[in-house]
Amino acid sequence: MGTLPPKILIASLLCLMAIIAKTTATYPNLYFVFKPFGLAGLIYIVHNHEASPVQFFILLALLLSSVGDIALLLKDDVSFLVGLTAFLLAHLSYMYAFAVGGAVIEPSLINFVFILSALNVTYFIRPKKLPVQMGVIVYSFVIHVMAMLAFDLAAKNPEWYEVQIASVMFLFSDATLAWNRFNSKLPMADVLILGLYYGAQILFVHDLTN
């Protein structure tokens, strides 16, 4: 991976500030200030990168993720579904970016593991309300397909190896978020969810711009 460029490091600070704001009890309202701008630095970097289909869809994914971030600031089910939809579209954008790069889904051991992972998520995480449950099932399927494409892209293009790590970080972040919301509260869940989430986005951007 090497040393992160200064512009990535600066953008990462915005992500770190959002994590700190979420976990501090002194000024809880700061999270509502910093969370919407957590991805702003990464969006700026990708926006100013050399134009290409991959660049466009990664930029679109980041913008949709920001919409999801804002929606998930609220705790009601409608806001959750809006956020879930925004992130689903973000992952579809990442999928298209990887497909443009030559990624396809083929029978493999790792894809079998991802299928088992998706089935486990939909089995163990069951929201009580049917619309939310259906949203979680569809979202779980989409994000696992995104991970399959990320691994295939990296297998064919070793310089994209960071997307493999990023996709797995996304899976763990979202699974933790869902478990924490619908099953039982986990210790240090906020740090784990946001740390993995922002880390994944940073790696996606670094792989594009490196």
Side-chain angles (χ1 to χ4, degrees):
M1 185 184 303
T3 304
L4 291 176
K7 58 186 179 180
I8 298 286
L9 288 173
I10 294 171
S12 300
L13 287 176
L14 287 173
C15 300
L16 180 60
M17 290 168 68
I19 296 174
I20 294 173
K22 176 63 175 178
T23 55
T24 182
T26 308
Y27 302 104
N29 291 333
L30 282 178
Y31 182 61
F32 289 85
V33 176
F34 285 115
K35 182 68 185 292
F37 298 102
L39 297 180
L42 297 176
I43 290 171
Y44 175 81
I45 291 169
V46 176
H47 178 265
N48 287 281
H49 188 67
E50 180 182 356
S52 70
V54 173
Q55 177 264 357
F56 172 80
F57 283 102
I58 289 182
L59 177 61
L60 180 59
L62 289 169
L63 291 170
L64 288 166
S65 296
S66 290
V67 174
D69 285 340
I70 295 170
L72 292 182
L73 285 172
L74 304 176
K75 300 301 182 181
D76 60 280
D77 286 339
V78 173
S79 298
F80 180 80
L81 285 174
V82 171
L84 197 69
T85 302
F87 279 113
L88 185 147
L89 294 173
H91 288 304
L92 287 174
S93 297
Y94 276 129
M95 287 166 57
Y96 197 85
F98 300 156
V100 169
V104 296
I105 296 177
E106 298 174 327
S108 67
L109 177 60
I110 188 62
N111 284 347
F112 178 70
V113 172
F114 282 134
I115 292 171
L116 289 180
S117 174
L119 292 174
N120 271 282
V121 169
T122 56
Y123 179 80
F124 286 106
I125 299 176
R126 295 183 178 181
K128 294 179 180 179
K129 296 182 179 180
L130 183 60
V132 180
Q133 185 177 357
M134 294 305 298
V136 169
I137 291 172
V138 173
Y139 181 83
S140 177
F141 171 77
V142 169
I143 193 173
H144 280 85
V145 172
M146 182 276 291
M148 293 179 190
L149 290 171
F151 269 70
D152 188 74
L153 177 65
K156 294 175 178 175
N157 305 277
E159 67 273 14
W160 282 93
Y161 74 95
E162 290 173 62
V163 300
Q164 295 179 106
I165 304 170
S167 65
V168 173
M169 291 172 73
F170 251 123
L171 291 177
F172 277 100
S173 175
D174 288 344
T176 304
L177 186 153
W179 184 277
N180 196 61
R181 183 182 181 97
F182 299 116
N183 290 40
S184 60
K185 297 296 182 182
L186 299 171
M188 301 294 290
D190 291 333
V191 174
L192 185 61
I193 293 166
L194 292 175
L196 290 170
Y197 166 66
Y198 283 129
Q201 300 282 28
I202 290 167
L203 287 179
F204 279 143
V205 173
H206 183 244
D207 233 357
L208 170 69
T209 59
N210 190 25

